Amino acid sequence: MEFFFGIVPEGDIYEKVMNVREKYKYLNGSDPHITVKASCGLTEDMSWLSKCRKIISEFGSFQITIGGPRYFGDKDVLYLDVQSDELIELHKQLVSVFKPNEESIKKCFELELYKPHITVARKSRLSEATIEEMRKDILLDFENNHTFSVSTVSLFYRANKTEKYRIKEDIKSM
């Protein structure tokens, strides 16, 4: 079983990402989300869950701004930029529960390596030309920033790597 904490973007943003994915038949990835805490350290025994629930529920709601499309690497991943100082702080608080070593921090891009984003597509599943067309299409919807309020962080899970992640639990902040 694999887990991560994430945020589902508000409906309009979610739909725009899904519409571009559907247009280019990119449907086998996970649904649009912003990872708050990656899977490193989230063990099957779930001994970490009560501490993480407490951090999230006491954190309070906050704003996230979604910017335009960008790439990681050599056009390896097309993503939408995400800006929020509060999201970065929540990420740091959740990571602190797991006390990761340097190797784990690097593997899961945590703490100073954390770059919040919404993945649109991965080049490993599409041609570079197709991914560039997707970027041009999604740019039309994200030329201007979109800001929304977050009051729920979800715990996502999947039984194995062949499954899509699904929401196991929604954790609301006070």
Side-chain angles (χ1 to χ4, degrees), residues 5 46-62 89-90 93-98 151 153 155 169-174:
F5 286 99
M46 299 180 80
S47 57
W48 40 266
L49 185 55
S50 62
K51 287 180 184 172
C52 291
R53 267 194 201 118
K54 184 176 184 338
I55 289 168
I56 294 166
S57 64
E58 293 176 357
F59 194 81
S61 61
F62 57 94
E89 179 56 31
L90 177 58
Q93 288 184 30
L94 289 173
V95 169
S96 74
V97 169
F98 300 91
S151 59
V153 175
L155 175 62
E169 179 180 340
D170 287 328
I171 305 166
K172 298 208 179 297
S173 56
M174 296 181 187

Side-chain angles (χ1 to χ4, degrees), residues 4 6-9 13-22 26-36 38 64-73 75-83 87 108-109 114-126 131 134-135 138 142 148 156 164-165:
F4 74 89
I7 295 167
V8 178
I13 295 165
Y14 182 94
E15 291 303 319
K16 287 175 180 175
V17 173
M18 288 304 291
N19 288 343
V20 168
R21 287 179 174 184
E22 287 167 9
Y26 185 86
L27 302 173
N28 57 347
S30 57
D31 287 349
H33 66 274
I34 302 161
T35 300
V36 182
I64 287 182
T65 300
I66 308 297
R70 295 200 166 90
Y71 290 110
F72 284 130
K75 296 189 176 180
D76 296 322
V77 176
L78 173 63
Y79 70 93
L80 294 175
D81 188 46
V82 171
Q83 297 292 323
L87 172 59
C108 282
F109 298 96
Y114 177 61
K115 174 63 185 112
H117 65 281
I118 299 171
T119 299
V120 178
R122 295 177 187 279
K123 187 168 71 175
S124 60
R125 298 183 186 160
L126 298 168
I131 237 176
M134 288 178 86
R135 187 194 67 79
I138 207 156
F142 290 94
F148 66 99
F156 289 81
K164 279 177 111 166
Y165 279 100

